[in-house]
Structure formats: C-alpha cells, structure tokens
Amino acid sequence: MNYKTMEEDYSKTESLRSNTEIILPGATSALVLVWVALCVDSMLFSMIVPIVPLALRDKVHAWEIGLLFASKSIFQILSSPIIGPIVDRKGTRWMLMLGIAIVVVSTTLFAFAHHYWPMFIARSLQGVGSSATTIASFALLAKLYVSDEARGQAMSKATFAIGFGVLIGPAFGGALYHFNKSSPFLVVAAIAFVGGVLQLWWYATYGDGKQLPRADRGSVSGGVEGLVVPLLKTESSSVYGNAEAEENTSKAKEETEGEQDNEQEYTQLGLLKDLNMLFLCIITVVGNMSVAALEPTVPLYFTNSFNTSSWETGLVFSSCAGSYFIGVIITGYFQLSIGRIFLMTFGIGLVAVSLAAVGIFEKRRTNPEEAIPGLAGVGLGLGFVEAVTNPLLSSYTDICFPNSQGKAFSLTNISVSIAFIVGPIAGTAFYHHTDFEATTLSLGIIVAICTPITYTTARNIVRVLKKNELEDPNINSASEL
C-alpha cells in the first residue's frame, strides 16, 4: 500500500474533508430497509425454537431436531464463500433482492410444512437467504456511509436489528402459533415481501450501489475523491457552465473507472492470510460461541437445579439479550470518543469474567435470578465487541483489500455460523461430562486467552486507519490507545 501517495492526495483534498461526513443520497432509507430485512431474517431464525419441537413431537428423534436447527448455519457456511465475491463483482442489488426472496419462500414453506423434510428444506433455504441478505446489507451500508463515525452508527443499528429479531422471535412465534399454526410464518413472510417491494423502489430510485466504490473506499484518496462526482452533479449549475460541468463529471468518472480496472481482485483466502482479518474472525467465533454454548446449557442447569419453567428460564436469559442491546447502542454512538481499542478489549474481557462468575457462584445460588448479573455481563461485553468489529472490519477492508466488502462480510458470516454450530454441541457435551461450573469456567478461560489477541488486533487496525488519515484529526490518539 503506497502511504506516501495517500498523504499527497490528502493534502490536495483537504478542502473536501468535511464532506466525508455527508451521508450519501438514499442512505437513511436504505438503513431502514436493511434494518427490516435483517430483523425479519433473525425473527425467522429464532421463531421456530418453540414451534418445531411442538410440531414434530413424537415424530422424529431429538438429534434430527438438532440437525434441523443446525442446517441454517451449515448452509450459511456453504453459501457465504459464493455470495461474497458476487456482491463485490455485481453489486448489492440482485443479491439483496435474491436474499429477501428466498426468505419469503422459506418462510411460506414453513407455514405449510407439517413434516420433517419440508421443514428441513425450509430451514436450509433460510440459511442461503440469510447469507445473501446479511452480506449484501452490510456491504451496501459500507458503500453509503463514508465516514467512520457514520458507518459505525449505521452498522451498530443493523447489528441491533439482528439481536432484536432474535429476541422477539420466540415470543412472537409462540404466541401466534397458539392461534393458528401457519400465522406466525405468514405474517413474517408478508413483512419480508413488503420489504422486498420497498427495496425494488429504493434501487430504482438510487441505483444498485455497484458504481459507488470510490465513495466507499476507506482511503482518503478514494473516499474523498469519490464524493467529487456527486458534488459536481449537485453544484454544477452554480459553479460551472453546463458543458464544463459535464466535461468535469465525465473526466472524474473516467479516472475512477480506470483506477478500478487496475485494482487487484482478492480472494477470501487472501483476506484470511492477513493476520488482522484472521484474528477478527477468531474473535467473532469465540465471542459468539460463548453465547451459543450458554443457550442449551443454562436451561439444562436451571431445570436440574431449580426446576424452573420455560418462561422463567427465558426471562432470566433475556438479561443477556437486553444488555447486548445496551452495549450495541452505547458503542454505536460513542465508539470513537470512548476508543475502539478500549471497547473491544474491555468487552471481550468482560465476557470472560462474566462467564467465570456465572460458573463460580453456581453452588451458592438459591434461585435462578442470581445468575442475571453474570449473564448480563456476557451480553454487554459481546455487544461492545460486535458493534466495533463490523465497522472496523469494513474500514480496514477499504484500505487493504479494495472492493472486497462482500468477501469480508462473508467471512464474518461464516465465523458466526461456525460459532452457532460448535457452541451448542461443545457446550452440551462438556456439560454432560462435567457440570455447569466447569463448562462456564472453561468458556471463560478460552475467551480470556482471546483478550490479548483482541487488544493487539484492534490496536494494529486502528494504527492502519490513522496512517491512512481515516481517523478524525480532532480525536485524541489517547482515546484509541
């Protein structure tokens, strides 16, 4: 990477620096549509949790139900390496539309499926649709939100949508299922369909974002210059004559397209050879695996120790989801002022300490509510980490791997899927061979080992961003270090 060239470009474009805070046309409405798409997909992910065991009761073995639940993550892992490069080459339009269409089809299939294999096919299809929706959504936000601050807030809101959908899905699905077995799926399918129609409108109005790479480029030489074309379009009547404006716009486009043609195309394996990218994926796996391992083991522990009902268990476990939302919101708005290195390191450390606390005090508990502080700590810490990871990954990709947002987010999608396959299996296996205390302590130790890796990775990436003049010059470096 030629840092000297970037510094020279920065001095020539300093007068346009303030324009990097501009939110590109259609960004706000795109964020709303992305929020709905991610929330609907997440609702379907968790909505079947209380429904499938009832629908398939006494019809299949327990391991078959487990395989049905895992099939979504399996097909996400299989489809993500294909979807990421397509998003980078073709833009987000068709992949986002395809993703929402698959979600509509799979949800409708769930509505009328009364046997195992139709449900398995629907769940597997949802994995493909979820990959397309998630990867294209975050890639689109990376293109539309140029500055670090705006991008961080937008991606935090998108992350919040995923968590919100997961949280309300079981309650929403369980409540409607009692009235009509198909109603929860038909309602979600209808919402997804309306969202898809609105996406068609958005793309017809603002374009597919494929030709925005100079605006989404993280380096100043790309990111600021990428704003020149839209600025010329909106200000040409007052600054230039019509002919001169068209000539300048045409030249800017030709220069941009020429630079894009010379760009190297990276593979997902090439991205993973970068240690910072690899460690970000490892951090994502470890953080999500800790929560995924708690999902089956906490209910088992509560049932065996306190004979709690399902709604009591859900209420206590919701403290983890609630604190996760708080962490995401705080990080989204204050990550630059608080410091992203601090937030990521503190967050992963908080997860480790909270997991250990949940296990250490196991034998001293007299009721399940005493586990709420520990579970809340796990959710809060994970919220800090995830809300920083996505925008940090996006900005780093802009600099080191231009035009590879789809591939980068496909890697995080694969990482999350791996966590939600390995976590429940490893957690329940360890729980059955030991006990709840040993399980949570082991998880805490694994996360604690990841803490210095998190600090080093976050520090290295922030240094790269600062070297490329991405950070706001008014932010004191001490806030990051």
Side-chain angles (χ1 to χ4, degrees):
M1 180 62 66
N2 192 338
Y3 297 113
K4 183 178 179 181
T5 303
M6 292 181 181
E7 290 167 2
E8 291 173 352
D9 289 340
Y10 180 79
S11 63
K12 291 187 291 184
T13 55
E14 178 61 27
S15 62
L16 292 174
R17 176 62 176 161
S18 61
N19 287 323
T20 60
E21 299 301 323
I22 293 175
I23 296 176
L24 298 182
T28 302
S29 54
L31 177 58
V32 173
L33 295 178
V34 163
W35 201 98
V36 172
L38 294 176
C39 184
V40 167
D41 177 63
S42 301
M43 282 180 64
L44 181 58
F45 167 75
S46 63
M47 191 170 66
I48 71 168
V49 171
I51 294 175
V52 167
L54 290 175
L56 297 178
R57 185 170 49 192
D58 301 327
K59 294 181 180 179
V60 296
H61 297 290
W63 67 267
E64 291 178 290
I65 294 179
L67 180 61
L68 188 150
F69 279 107
S71 63
K72 177 183 182 290
S73 296
I74 292 172
F75 276 82
Q76 277 187 271
I77 293 174
L78 295 175
S79 60
S80 291
I82 300 172
I83 292 170
I86 294 176
V87 169
D88 290 334
R89 293 193 193 106
K90 304 296 183 182
T92 60
R93 178 202 296 259
W94 299 114
M95 198 51 65
L96 189 54
M97 296 304 303
L98 177 64
I100 203 70
I102 293 175
V103 169
V104 171
V105 171
S106 63
T107 309
T108 305
L109 183 56
F110 258 122
F112 300 102
H114 304 294
H115 300 286
Y116 179 79
W117 285 110
M119 290 186 180
F120 184 88
I121 293 172
R123 183 71 168 176
S124 302
L125 275 175
Q126 193 212 347
V128 179
S130 181
S131 287
T133 302
T134 304
I135 294 170
S137 293
F138 278 100
L140 180 61
L141 294 180
K143 291 177 182 296
L144 295 174
Y145 289 86
V146 179
S147 70
D148 274 356
E149 184 175 3
R151 181 179 288 181
Q153 291 181 11
M155 290 190 176
S156 295
K157 291 172 184 176
T159 304
F160 179 87
I162 296 173
F164 183 74
V166 171
L167 178 65
I168 68 172
F172 176 84
L176 289 184
Y177 187 78
H178 283 293
F179 293 99
N180 184 282
K181 295 183 179 180
S182 299
S183 59
F185 300 105
L186 292 177
V187 170
V188 171
I191 297 172
F193 179 78
V194 172
V197 172
L198 292 175
Q199 285 176 11
L200 281 173
W201 163 81
W202 189 90
Y203 280 113
T205 305
Y206 299 104
D208 71 351
K210 181 184 175 184
Q211 301 302 326
L212 291 176
R214 305 312 300 175
D216 82 315
R217 189 66 52 80
S219 65
V220 173
S221 60
V224 176
E225 289 180 2
L227 292 174
V228 172
V229 173
L231 285 173
L232 285 172
K233 288 180 180 178
T234 55
E235 300 176 4
S236 59
S237 59
S238 59
V239 181
Y240 304 104
N242 289 336
E244 188 177 353
E246 290 178 4
E247 182 181 350
N248 279 280
T249 302
S250 176
K251 287 181 179 179
K253 284 184 176 180
E254 288 174 4
E255 291 176 3
T256 297
E257 290 171 0
E259 290 176 4
Q260 290 172 11
D261 291 338
N262 294 327
E263 286 173 357
Q264 178 181 353
E265 183 173 345
Y266 300 92
T267 64
Q268 282 138 321
L269 183 59
L271 267 63
L272 282 178
K273 288 180 180 178
D274 182 289
L275 287 180
N276 290 325
M277 295 289 288
L278 177 62
F279 286 145
L280 277 180
C281 290
I282 292 173
I283 293 164
T284 301
V285 171
V286 172
N288 283 277
M289 187 179 68
S290 63
V291 174
L294 290 178
E295 286 183 346
T297 53
V298 167
L300 287 172
Y301 162 60
F302 283 172
T303 301
N304 295 335
S305 300
F306 306 108
N307 195 28
T308 56
S309 62
S310 58
W311 72 267
E312 289 176 303
T313 300
L315 188 63
V316 173
F317 201 81
S318 66
S319 62
C320 183
S323 60
Y324 173 85
F325 295 148
I326 295 173
V328 168
I329 293 171
I330 292 174
T331 306
Y333 284 96
F334 303 108
Q335 60 181 272
L336 290 183
S337 56
I338 295 176
R340 289 175 288 189
I341 298 174
F342 170 79
L343 282 170
M344 282 192 70
T345 308
F346 176 77
I348 203 75
L350 180 60
V351 172
V353 172
S354 299
L355 284 168
V358 170
I360 289 174
F361 294 103
E362 174 203 1
K363 295 181 173 60
R364 300 181 184 180
R365 290 193 187 96
T366 56
N367 59 73
E369 287 77 14
E370 294 176 8
I372 288 178
L375 293 174
V378 173
L380 184 65
L382 186 61
F384 288 154
V385 174
E386 290 205 335
V388 174
T389 300
N390 284 330
L392 209 58
L393 170 76
S394 180
S395 296
Y396 185 71
T397 301
D398 280 337
I399 297 169
C400 299
F401 307 98
N403 198 29
S404 300
Q405 291 286 343
K407 299 182 190 74
F409 284 113
S410 73
L411 292 177
T412 61
N413 203 33
I414 291 171
S415 301
V416 173
S417 299
I418 291 173
F420 277 89
I421 291 176
V422 175
I425 294 173
T428 51
F430 206 80
Y431 176 81
H432 284 299
H433 286 86
T434 56
D435 56 17
F436 184 71
E437 180 180 3
T439 301
T440 51
L441 281 174
S442 300
L443 286 171
I445 291 172
I446 293 172
V447 177
I449 293 172
C450 197
T451 302
I453 297 175
T454 302
Y455 170 77
T456 303
T457 303
R459 183 190 61 183
N460 290 343
I461 293 177
V462 167
R463 283 179 174 175
V464 171
L465 300 187
K466 284 181 174 292
K467 185 143 184 117
N468 286 272
E469 305 293 349
L470 274 176
E471 295 295 291
D472 188 333
N474 295 320
I475 294 177
N476 190 323
S477 60
S479 68
E480 292 283 8
L481 301 173

